[in-house]
Amino acid sequence: MEITKYLKKPSSYIMWLLIIVFGIVGVQYYAGYISASTAAIFMDLMKFIGIALSLAVIMSYTGYVSFGHVVFFGIGGFFTAYELSKYSQQILQGGNPYTIFLMGMLIGVGLSVLLAATVGAAVLRLRGAFFAIATIGLDYVILYLEMTYKGGAGGGEIYFNVSRPRFLEETYFVFFIAFVITLIIAYIVKVSKFGYGLAAIREDEDAAEVIGVDTVRYKIYAFMIAAGLAAIWGSVYSWRQFNFTPENFSLGISVDMIVMNVIGGLGTFIGPIIGAFIYYIIYRLTNTYLPQLAYIILGIIVVAVVSFLPEGVAGLIRSKFPNLRKYFE
Amino acid sequence: MEFISNIIYGLIYGAILGAVASGLTLIWGVMKVVNLAHGHLAVLGAFLAVIFYKYTPITIDPSLSPIIAFIIGALFGIFFYYTSLHVIVGKAETMTLKVEMSSLLSTFGFGVALYGLLYYGSAQGWYLQFEGLTGWTIQVGGKPYFEILGVSIQYSWLVGLFYAVILIALVELFLRKTVWGLAIRAVAQDSRAVALTGYDPVKVKLLTTVLSTAMALSAGAIFTLYIQNGINPDLEHFLAPLSFVIVVLGGLGSVIGTFIGGLIIGLAYGITMALTGTQAIALSVSFVILVVILLVKPQGLFGR
Amino acid sequence: MAEGDIVILRVEKVTKRFGGLVALSDVSFEVNQGEILGLIGPNGAGKTTLFNVITGVYKPEEGRVIFKNKDITGLRPHKIARMGIARTHQIVKPFGDLTVLENTMIGALYGRRHGHITEEEARDIALDILEFVGLKEKADLPARILNIQEKKRLELARALAEEPELLLLDEVLAGLNPSEVAKMLDLLRKIRSEKNVTMIMIEHVMHAVMNLADRIVVLHFGRKIAEGTPEEVASNPEVITAYLGDPEMALKFVKSLKKG
Ligand SMILES: Nc1ncnc2c1ncn2[C@@H]1O[C@H](COP(=O)(O)OP(=O)(O)OP(=O)(O)O)[C@@H](O)[C@H]1O
Ligand SMILES: [Mg+2]
């Protein structure tokens, strides 16, 4: 079948390596050989890679900077928290939280994909900065609507409680599953025929259309996939935090996603992953000393990369080491 | 009564927001640089107004801060241009979609760094006890405000309004009445053609950036005259999107459009505040207007 | 037009306006299978606009475009492309950050065999075509670093990879120096003899059209002012006043070229 063929390409090796490494870490953590704080690092990394790749599908592959992409992250998280708090009684009485979690996630993902397919489809008629701004608008509208939600703790905040004996260990695997799903989907989108079409749209949308790419439909599909992936991460994030706050709609999260994509390199699958690692390292280093320093450093790096390394770190590796190209798709 | 006062507040607020957006009209609407640092620059101006009032050896009255912020902004604009824009737009012959997107990303980076800097400052205690312009008023006859139609209006707002109108008139004059204005318009279309007329395209771009930055900082100071308190780096999340909304609404490159766009957004804000009393809804209305305008009339109300 | 020719494209009374400007006015003509039709006319005559109407980029206000007996007026461009019409652009539009090979593969993947072609097949087709147009050595380079001549070849490669039945060429010779023009002409002849495609070529390089085209259509201010063999067109007084300038010179020019 087509899909298994893609999963055997040399460019998928790095993805498999990541899956194996993160999987082993999970098993070790479950077995008690790895501390919770170390595991937390790996979980953060998975989340950063996950949200970076979710944006990559529309921004990096297709060329549409979805600045308000966090809106889908927020929607995913909101419905997860909403369901979990709604059924908190059942959970306390021993009900299985995972079915409720999954239900919340599916609602969040479904509505995100729906939003991308409807409002998104309309907004995708806009190009360049107009699209970026319209998505910011979309995020604000949904955020403000959400903030009027008076349930939960009020002010748009929802708290819930999932008491499980090994909650953290299990949550590692929740993240891991989301991670594997995101990697595989983002990878296949990139290397498939669909990915070629998206790349054509990114490079020159009019030329792509004239050559036979159904640009309208492709853009919508890409946006739906990007939205769905972001919603998955919003959902698992809320699960881990035991809450949802309007902060989950904050543009700061969009900023993180964009920064990782730009630094890593636009137009590749590997770019956002590299970007996420670099981002995370800077984030950790500065966080220990001065949290605000992270923004200063990251901002400077973004300017430098856009000015002098427009294809990002992945692009640099690809051009400096042509032999590695087939692994760094 | 409540309703009338909300409308009047909305109009004043709108005019001031129009001033915040006017610098963006210049750099984005005319020069085609999608300046995502614009909101941060305005916040910097707002910070300056407070710093001059409270944290400098000589106290500068906030009613003068828009002028000082303009001058500092002009210098800062040179820095901004050479650090974030020159490599990307300096040599670009036309502002293609790709160049536009690169400018979007690099100004975004600059904005993130500036945001970090302002935050860093806050956290380091440079202006930890941030209280805005607390204690400052302009009084006439012993009162900081006057009443018309039962609506009380602060004198400091009028000062802000005055500056806002001046700022918008300034861009309008610059664009319409000077050769440089024409050159800026031309440079986004075709740098080579501009070069043929004897103007250095790079100088034109630098000048535009400088002017736009000066206006952003000045407008930030004006904004401070209006809100007085609650100045913090996150204000950007409010100012930047609204500026983009206003510029799109008014039509890219239309200065008068920016002013009217500001008034419309201010009014929409005032009216929804009056009707719902919820800031969240009042703000989201602006964005609904934005998305609808973008889809129905992307060239804006006054765009060509 | 000889008996028994199969009409592949029929443009019927097409009118296209931009605001007050009438870019095409009541234009009709036919293209026979296998022929090369030259499309000439002064700058701004509406030639590129006509291509845009045929490929669905613009919808005409009036008139129809019939391709292989199907009305394609107003269809979206990608549909028309998949039916077998490919084009090059006057202002080249390479996918700059993609490699030359990828550019060409996209043509193969989305062209006429869209949906019935694997990536490997597309790659093979693309490599063949790059060889054919002489870009094989550049296959793995990003398209943006090609020079103008190579970019024009890439446009051609991408269009050919779609395996079209009708190929629209918009000034593929413009901007090339004389030796590059000669090479490109060889390539066009090769396409004519080896690939089974019908072509419409817009060209300002007069000796090239006169030489290659079986028939010529002349546009002027959006109207068709003449149609016929190169000789007929070149001796048509209206065309001459509109376009060719000095009639005697033009005829001599044409004759000398046809001989040589
Ligand atoms: N999208 C458009 N909007 C407005 N006017 C247009 C548009 N496209 C073309 N035109 C106008 O239509 C007329 C015909 O243009 P067209 O590009 O078809 O000419 P052309 O024959 O290809 O010329 P050239 O030989 O210079 O390429 C011109 O006056 C042009 O300005
Ligand atoms: Mg043309």
Side-chain angles (χ1 to χ4, degrees):
Chain A
M1 225 186 87
E2 286 273 298
I3 289 184
T4 51
K5 183 189 77 193
Y6 293 131
L7 296 178
K8 287 181 194 147
K9 284 188 167 191
S11 52
S12 71
Y13 294 169
I14 290 186
M15 172 180 83
W16 292 121
L17 184 69
L18 283 173
I19 290 176
I20 291 168
V21 169
F22 280 81
I24 290 175
V25 169
V27 173
Q28 298 284 320
Y29 176 43
Y30 202 82
Y33 296 119
I34 285 180
S35 71
S37 58
T38 310
I41 293 177
F42 282 84
M43 286 167 78
D44 285 343
L45 268 172
M46 287 193 276
K47 181 194 132 200
F48 280 129
I49 294 174
I51 60 175
L53 282 174
S54 79
L55 178 66
V57 173
I58 187 74
M59 171 179 172
S60 169
Y61 297 178
T62 320
Y64 276 72
V65 182
S66 173
F67 216 103
H69 206 61
V70 64
V71 71
F72 304 114
F73 182 87
I75 291 173
F78 176 82
F79 284 99
T80 303
Y82 176 82
E83 289 293 308
L84 283 164
S85 74
K86 188 165 122 196
Y87 294 103
S88 56
Q89 279 309 318
Q90 278 96 315
I91 296 173
L92 282 178
Q93 286 155 15
N96 184 353
Y98 284 103
T99 45
I100 295 159
F101 168 45
L102 204 61
M103 190 161 69
M105 182 195 278
L106 286 180
I107 295 172
V109 171
L111 287 177
S112 291
V113 172
L114 195 68
L115 188 68
T118 51
V119 178
V123 174
L124 279 165
R125 282 169 26 202
L126 305 166
R127 287 189 186 181
F130 291 100
F131 174 79
I133 295 157
T135 58
I136 296 180
L138 184 63
D139 181 50
Y140 272 89
V141 171
I142 304 285
L143 164 66
Y144 291 134
L145 288 180
E146 197 278 331
M147 275 164 73
T148 60
Y149 172 67
K150 295 285 189 295
E157 297 186 0
I158 308 175
Y159 295 89
F160 58 88
N161 199 349
V162 187
S163 40
R164 305 272 302 171
R166 306 199 67 186
F167 176 80
L168 275 177
E169 286 89 338
E170 286 178 8
T171 300
Y172 187 98
F173 285 98
V174 169
F175 270 54
F176 183 67
I177 293 167
F179 185 58
V180 173
I181 292 173
T182 310
L183 281 175
I184 290 183
I185 291 179
Y187 175 73
I188 288 178
V189 168
K190 175 65 201 152
V191 298
S192 62
K193 178 186 166 189
F194 181 48
Y196 278 108
L198 297 183
I201 292 174
R202 180 189 68 227
E203 295 296 320
D204 189 324
E205 191 166 335
D206 297 327
E209 174 76 31
V210 165
I211 237 176
V213 180
D214 189 345
T215 53
V216 171
R217 194 176 292 200
Y218 266 40
K219 286 191 298 185
I220 295 175
Y221 289 167
F223 202 32
M224 287 163 70
I225 294 170
L229 292 178
I232 291 179
W233 284 99
S235 175
V236 299
Y237 180 71
S238 270
W239 166 262
R240 180 189 181 187
Q241 301 294 110
F242 298 120
N243 68 24
F244 177 87
T245 70
E247 276 293 292
N248 291 21
F249 280 111
S250 111
L251 286 180
I253 299 173
S254 283
V255 168
D256 295 345
M257 297 180 190
I258 296 170
V259 167
M260 290 185 276
N261 273 281
V262 172
I263 294 179
L266 299 178
T268 56
F269 165 73
I270 205 73
I273 299 176
I274 295 176
F277 275 101
I278 295 175
Y279 178 92
Y280 190 69
I281 291 167
I282 293 170
Y283 173 82
R284 289 291 294 200
L285 284 181
T286 53
N287 221 17
T288 339
Y289 309 102
L290 296 160
Q292 297 77 18
L293 216 56
Y295 281 121
I296 303 179
I297 296 172
L298 287 167
I300 293 171
I301 294 181
V302 167
V303 174
V305 166
V306 176
S307 301
F308 303 109
L309 209 62
E311 289 178 51
V313 177
L316 182 72
I317 297 175
R318 278 161 60 90
S319 64
K320 283 267 178 293
F321 307 99
N323 299 340
L324 294 181
R325 266 190 103 111
K326 64 175 183 288
Y327 304 108
F328 285 71
E329 190 59 66
Chain B
M1 203 78 288
E2 178 90 353
F3 195 75
I4 293 181
S5 64
N6 270 305
I7 286 186
I8 292 181
Y9 296 156
L11 282 175
I12 297 175
Y13 196 36
I16 287 170
L17 288 175
V20 176
S22 61
L24 188 64
T25 299
L26 196 61
I27 196 163
W28 182 42
V30 182
M31 202 173 96
K32 303 283 174 251
V33 165
V34 190
N35 184 11
L36 289 185
H38 186 77
H40 298 289
L41 293 168
V43 175
L44 180 62
F47 269 63
L48 287 182
V50 181
I51 290 171
F52 288 138
Y53 177 56
K54 286 202 157 171
Y55 300 93
T56 46
I58 339 152
T59 299
I60 294 170
D61 193 82
S63 59
L64 294 177
S65 60
I67 298 172
I68 301 187
F70 190 92
I71 296 166
I72 295 180
L75 298 175
F76 197 70
I78 300 175
F79 174 71
F80 176 41
Y81 178 79
Y82 280 107
T83 51
S84 312
L85 289 174
H86 185 61
V87 178
I88 291 154
V89 305
K91 285 192 205 66
E93 280 166 353
T94 53
M95 292 297 290
T96 58
L97 190 63
K98 279 218 150 175
V99 179
E100 261 189 74
M101 293 319 279
S102 298
S103 77
L104 180 147
L105 293 174
S106 72
T107 55
F108 162 76
F110 187 88
V112 169
L114 187 54
Y115 176 77
L117 190 69
L118 294 172
Y119 236 116
Y120 177 73
S122 309
Q124 289 301 294
W126 294 352
Y127 19 87
L128 191 59
Q129 309 299 320
F130 226 84
E131 291 166 345
L133 302 180
T134 313
W136 174 76
T137 51
I138 295 177
Q139 302 210 348
V140 176
K143 278 196 336 188
Y145 59 87
F146 63 95
E147 286 188 17
I148 57 170
L149 302 165
V151 182
S152 64
I153 294 176
Q154 294 194 22
Y155 290 111
S156 58
W157 296 355
L158 290 186
V159 178
L161 198 59
F162 167 76
Y163 276 118
V165 172
I166 297 261
L167 206 57
I168 287 171
L170 196 76
V171 217
E172 176 72 11
L173 282 179
F174 179 78
L175 282 177
R176 303 245 166 265
K177 301 284 179 214
T178 66
V179 239
W180 286 98
L182 197 70
I184 292 178
R185 281 171 191 280
V187 91
Q189 303 297 323
D190 191 341
S191 280
R192 283 163 304 179
V194 174
L196 289 180
T197 64
Y199 282 85
D200 176 359
V202 172
K203 283 214 183 96
V204 176
K205 290 169 189 175
L206 173 64
L207 180 78
T208 313
T209 310
V210 164
L211 198 60
S212 166
T213 311
M215 290 170 71
L217 265 76
S218 183
I222 295 171
F223 187 74
T224 314
L225 295 181
Y226 182 79
I227 65 163
Q228 304 194 357
N229 291 308
I231 308 294
N232 65 64
D234 287 330
L235 210 53
E236 187 270 347
H237 302 342
F238 169 80
L239 289 180
L242 276 191
S243 298
F244 276 96
V245 171
I246 290 169
V247 172
V248 172
L249 187 61
L252 257 69
S254 164
V255 179
I256 299 303
T258 305
F259 188 63
I260 296 173
L263 293 182
I264 292 174
I265 291 300
L267 258 187
Y269 185 86
I271 291 172
T272 29
M273 265 315 260
L275 294 178
T276 66
T278 315
Q279 197 193 25
I281 298 179
L283 278 172
S284 58
V285 166
S286 326
F287 294 104
V288 172
I289 293 177
L290 166 80
V291 173
V292 170
I293 279 284
L294 278 178
L295 293 175
V296 178
K297 203 166 182 295
Q299 70 275 33
L301 296 178
F302 298 89
R304 285 162 295 121
Chain C
M1 219 170 290
E3 286 289 321
D5 279 342
I6 305 165
V7 174
I8 187 166
L9 182 83
R10 200 156 68 231
V11 173
E12 284 179 3
K13 295 178 182 293
V14 161
T15 297
K16 174 70 207 166
R17 299 187 192 91
F18 294 111
L21 179 95
V22 187
L24 290 173
S25 170
D26 204 25
V27 173
S28 303
F29 64 91
E30 291 179 348
V31 186
N32 299 319
Q33 189 142 30
E35 78 173 335
I36 297 186
L37 181 79
L39 185 58
I40 64 172
N43 291 106
K47 305 180 295 292
T48 301
T49 304
L50 182 59
F51 273 14
N52 282 330
V53 167
I54 296 172
T55 53
V57 175
Y58 297 145
K59 193 176 184 321
E61 275 79 26
E62 289 158 41
R64 300 192 304 165
V65 180
I66 315 284
F67 177 61
K68 294 202 295 178
N69 297 322
K70 280 191 220 85
D71 188 346
I72 59 166
T73 330
L75 289 185
R76 299 250 323 274
H78 71 270
K79 289 241 167 78
I80 293 175
R82 289 171 190 181
M83 291 173 79
I85 300 182
R87 75 178 283 185
T88 68
H89 296 93
Q90 181 172 0
I91 300 161
V92 290
K93 293 185 169 193
F95 301 132
D97 283 348
L98 304 185
T99 65
V100 168
L101 178 64
E102 285 167 339
N103 266 271
T104 317
M105 277 176 70
I106 289 173
L109 282 170
Y110 288 94
R112 200 146 60 92
R113 282 167 65 180
H114 168 78
H116 306 282
I117 182 169
T118 67
E119 209 184 303
E120 285 70 35
E121 288 165 335
R123 186 181 303 271
D124 292 342
I125 292 174
L127 285 171
D128 275 354
I129 284 175
L130 287 177
E131 168 111 71
F132 184 80
V133 304
L135 277 179
K136 191 146 188 200
E137 296 77 53
K138 312 261 170 178
D140 290 323
L141 297 180
R144 85 185 108 78
I145 69 170
L146 299 182
N147 64 32
I148 182 67
Q149 195 238 142
E150 291 162 342
K151 279 183 180 152
K152 296 240 165 185
R153 280 171 189 266
L154 177 58
E155 282 271 326
L156 209 52
R158 209 166 58 177
L160 285 173
E162 293 180 60
E163 305 192 331
E165 289 181 61
L166 176 63
L167 180 59
L168 311 181
L169 304 172
D170 198 346
E171 300 198 22
V172 282
L173 301 175
L176 305 187
N177 67 35
S179 83
E180 289 170 345
V181 166
K183 278 190 217 148
M184 188 62 98
L185 279 179
D186 284 343
L187 180 57
L188 295 180
R189 284 198 193 89
K190 208 160 78 159
I191 294 174
R192 170 195 200 127
S193 63
E194 291 177 27
K195 311 258 167 198
N196 185 23
V197 283
T198 311
M199 287 189 256
I200 308 180
M201 60 184 297
I202 296 178
E203 204 45 73
H204 282 303
V205 181
M206 213 42 62
H207 71 84
V209 221
M210 293 297 172
N211 224 327
L212 271 180
D214 301 305
R215 285 186 313 123
I216 287 178
V217 165
V218 189
L219 288 182
H220 188 38
F221 287 126
R223 301 188 162 276
K224 185 177 87 175
I225 57 168
E227 178 174 359
T229 64
E231 287 81 0
E232 284 164 4
V233 164
S235 55
N236 180 320
E238 208 180 336
V239 176
I240 289 161
T241 46
Y243 198 87
L244 292 174
D246 189 335
E248 248 176 88
M249 280 302 294
L251 258 183
K252 267 189 209 157
F253 186 47
V254 171
K255 279 180 182 149
S256 70
L257 282 166
K258 279 278 163 174
K259 264 180 247 155

